[in-house]
Amino acid sequence: MKKLSLFALVALFAFTACNSNTEKSEGTETLTQESPAEVVAKEVSITINAGDDMKFDLAEIKVKEGQTVKITLNHTGKLAKEAMGHNWALLTQGTIVSDFAAKAMQAKDTDYIPAGATEVIVHTKLIGGGQTDTIEFVAPAKGVYEFICTFPGHSALMKGTFYVE
Ligand code: CO
């Protein structure tokens, strides 16, 4: 009888200790998930402006892997797209920007995005002054990517880094 009680006590203690451990670790996890810094929004909206000065107003964009990314490109200038066209094209990793820009330059009929170009992950339309275009896509795998405007001569200035974290 005495032995049994001791056993029961030990078992109860072990159960309690184990249970409290589990609760503690679960509690910590829940706290981490609820902490604002750790919350990953499902969607992120980014606005990029570019005018007749041939510049994007963002040099860096940071998103999270798997996030739905909404990019809005605004052409804040006055010039037509034939003279000062802008688009926003996200390039695959390893693409040599100058090589691709040279190739894109020849694709006037398709607004300087070569048909079936494997170097482009996503891109907006080519737009002129006062126009805007929005695209939505799922962020690619973690890594560092580059974005450019593929209008002839623009990528030298119109470029930036797209980080997927
Ligand atoms: Co441009």
Side-chain angles (χ1 to χ4, degrees):
M1 188 66 185
K2 211 173 189 183
K3 256 185 191 170
L4 189 65
S5 304
L6 188 65
F7 176 76
L9 193 68
V10 169
L12 183 68
F13 178 75
F15 175 76
T16 310
C18 179
N19 197 35
S20 97
N21 256 352
T22 310
E23 268 175 19
K24 195 177 177 186
S25 79
E26 272 177 8
T28 308
E29 205 179 349
T30 306
L31 198 69
T32 309
Q33 283 173 353
E34 282 174 1
S35 160
E38 295 297 324
V39 169
V40 176
K42 281 184 182 164
E43 279 187 38
V44 59
S45 296
I46 294 147
T47 300
I48 310 169
N49 301 299
D52 293 335
D53 59 351
M54 215 169 92
K55 281 178 190 166
F56 285 126
D57 68 347
L58 284 182
E60 282 187 358
I61 295 173
K62 286 182 183 177
V63 302
K64 305 279 187 193
E65 188 175 37
Q67 245 179 353
T68 297
V69 182
K70 213 173 180 179
I71 300 267
T72 298
L73 175 67
N74 292 323
H75 193 316
T76 56
K78 288 191 159 56
L79 297 172
K81 80 169 188 180
E82 291 74 19
M84 183 56 72
H86 296 321
N87 62 14
W88 184 90
L90 181 63
L91 307 181
T92 53
Q93 284 178 313
T95 296
I96 309 295
V97 173
S98 54
D99 288 357
F100 176 67
K103 189 174 149 183
M105 201 181 288
Q106 293 163 26
K108 188 170 188 281
D109 292 348
T110 49
D111 281 348
Y112 305 107
I113 299 287
T118 54
E119 298 92 337
V120 181
I121 299 173
V122 283
H123 65 88
T124 67
K125 284 190 283 194
L126 185 74
I127 56 176
Q131 295 180 316
T132 184
D133 189 40
T134 300
I135 55 167
E136 201 176 291
F137 60 97
V138 175
K142 282 179 190 175
V144 181
Y145 300 78
E146 286 178 285
F147 63 83
I148 62 168
C149 169
T150 65
F151 191 87
H154 286 200
S155 65
L157 283 174
M158 297 189 73
K159 61 181 176 185
T161 312
F162 187 86
Y163 297 94
V164 182
E165 297 169 329

